[in-house]
Amino acid sequence: HLLGAGCDGLAEPAVQSGEPTYAKKITDDELELDFLRPARELARVVRLGRARTTAAGRRLVVRTCEVLDEAPGAPGELCGDVVTCGEGALRLVEIVPEGRRAMTPEAWRRGLRRDQVPTHLGTAHGP
């Protein structure tokens, strides 16, 4: 077996030393994606779960994404499945449109009329 590991492959438990620390509860405002922030920071918010934004005035939950170094436009601009951030961009992998099930951005766009496809994400931008 592994050096210092128990029978199940986990390290032996140790008693915490010092004072306990507490993390404050994550608020809904902290889960709102602000595309002026760097892509790497927003990807961490997405990993927390329940990260959201708006698309044409409707809520859009981002479940998984990938960080890209290249940014195609202004912060919040949506180009295909890539949304530009303050630094870099996010490729949306799985999203949940308001009132719908989880899907890929491509499937979401196919379900919209041509005039409904948003060009920006977030509340600071128009439809």
Side-chain angles (χ1 to χ4, degrees), residues 45-81:
V45 175
V46 170
R47 282 195 305 267
L48 289 173
R50 302 184 335 261
R52 64 182 186 276
T53 187
T54 57
R58 301 203 52 161
R59 190 166 70 191
L60 182 72
V61 174
V62 178
R63 291 183 65 181
T64 55
C65 66
E66 298 171 352
V67 176
L68 304 175
D69 292 329
E70 297 294 320
E77 189 172 330
L78 181 63
C79 182
D81 60 355

Side-chain angles (χ1 to χ4, degrees), residues 23-41:
K24 66 181 179 89
K25 186 176 178 177
I26 296 172
T27 65
D28 285 341
D29 290 341
E30 292 172 309
L31 296 172
E32 188 74 30
L33 297 175
D34 176 1
F35 294 106
L36 294 173
R37 294 169 48 192
R40 294 196 186 288
E41 202 174 297

